[in-house]
Amino acid sequence: IFRLHESPEEEPRILLECDGSVLDAMQKHLKLYKIRRKVNITPCLDLSLWAVIPGESAGDITSSLTQHADQALIFTPDPRTEVMGWRLITKKGVDLSEIISGSHIGNTQDYHKHRYKQGVPEGVKDLPPGVALPLESNLAYMNGISFTKGCYIGQELTARTHHMGVIRKRLLPVHLSAPLPKDSIPEGAEILTESGKSAGKFRAGGGELGIALLRLANVNEPLCLNVAGGKVKLTAHIPEWWPKPASK
């Protein structure tokens, strides 16, 4: 959620980033709850959203953007984790190489590859509505849950689980032993241990990288995924950006 800079004379404007595949559903949901308030909810088709992934010259990015601030409507650190860099919003058609000199423009697949490598979930494929639980999805690590605000759906269960500290499964980045053909894995495919015991479910991925909901007790074991034509071995790891457990 981004708040646009505004003068006291202007109406407040807020930008909400969402998965493009659920844009219509998101609009209906927001309109349902605005009741009779004079709030306009419309897609911003004249804007472009960029993910600026950090490289070795992060300082140059900041200084370059400072010089071209008039072309960037919003430039802010990604609130989820430092490894995801920044979010940049511009008017459509703006040449990004003019705003960030020396930048390399990748594609959506490059972005998802970086996300999966870091174990950062995003969108309805990684976080299926009605299935994904906030704490298992690591939202408490990514500024996605407040334990001080008022009530929300599922608040009691989420708060109780958080304070008890018992979370047995989490979304983790996984590396596959072979690239997977597109759409070759059914949604929620089972991940198994060597003994054939269920260790979790595969959520999404591309090439040799993916994200899966795994039992933490099985993270360091050899794991495999059943796909058409056989099994693919995979390994999981705990991301470096996760908070470190407090020493006793």
Side-chain angles (χ1 to χ4, degrees):
I1 299 174
F2 310 101
R3 189 181 181 91
L4 285 174
H5 299 296
E6 60 217 15
S7 67
E9 296 78 32
E10 285 182 310
E11 290 289 336
R13 290 182 295 160
I14 292 173
L15 291 175
L16 173 66
E17 180 187 334
C18 78
D19 186 329
S21 66
V22 291
L23 178 60
D24 291 341
M26 177 63 76
Q27 286 186 84
K28 286 178 184 175
H29 182 77
L30 292 173
K31 286 175 180 176
L32 178 67
Y33 288 102
K34 78 170 187 175
I35 317 295
R36 292 194 177 100
R37 290 185 180 274
K38 293 179 180 178
V39 177
N40 293 320
I41 300 168
T42 54
C44 300
L45 303 177
D46 60 329
L47 301 182
S48 291
L49 171 69
W50 301 88
V52 183
I53 304 300
E56 295 178 2
S57 55
D60 295 338
I61 291 175
T62 307
S63 64
S64 180
L65 272 156
T66 304
Q67 296 172 31
H68 302 91
D70 56 322
Q71 295 188 62
L73 295 177
I74 288 177
F75 179 66
T76 183
D78 192 306
R80 295 171 295 184
T81 167
E82 190 176 328
V83 297
M84 290 305 295
W86 301 267
R87 280 320 217 214
L88 171 65
I89 297 176
T90 66
K91 288 284 186 184
K92 258 198 180 353
V94 168
D95 185 352
L96 193 67
S97 61
E98 291 181 5
I99 302 178
I100 306 175
S101 55
S103 59
H104 163 71
I105 298 178
N107 55 34
T108 308
Q109 285 70 35
D110 295 328
Y111 171 69
H112 290 313
K113 185 178 178 180
H114 178 74
R115 247 188 351 96
Y116 292 138
K117 190 175 180 181
Q118 302 298 338
V120 175
E122 183 179 297
V124 294
K125 259 188 120 176
D126 298 352
L127 304 166
V131 175
L133 295 178
L135 293 177
E136 290 183 349
S137 304
N138 309 318
L139 299 192
Y141 293 169
M142 300 187 290
N143 294 308
I145 303 175
S146 171
F147 295 103
T148 57
K149 73 181 285 297
C151 294
Y152 52 87
I153 295 172
Q155 178 209 20
E156 188 177 336
L157 174 62
T158 301
R160 185 169 68 244
T161 305
H162 171 70
H163 293 299
M164 288 176 66
V166 182
I167 302 165
R168 294 186 174 85
K169 292 183 289 184
R170 284 191 180 274
L171 278 181
L172 292 168
V174 293
H175 187 273
L176 299 122
S177 60
L180 297 170
K182 193 177 178 184
D183 301 326
S184 68
I185 306 176
E187 207 169 293
E190 200 100 46
I191 294 174
L192 306 172
T193 63
E194 271 189 323
S195 62
K197 178 185 171 185
S198 173
K201 294 183 184 298
F202 189 83
R203 281 278 171 83
E208 298 174 354
L209 299 171
I211 195 165
L213 182 68
L214 293 171
R215 288 184 176 81
L216 295 175
N218 301 124
V219 170
N220 297 319
E221 296 181 34
L223 302 170
C224 68
L225 180 66
N226 284 329
V227 295
K231 294 181 178 180
V232 174
K233 293 181 180 179
L234 61 85
T235 54
H237 70 273
I238 304 295
E240 285 290 323
W241 58 269
W242 280 16
K244 300 295 184 282
S247 54
K248 295 182 180 178

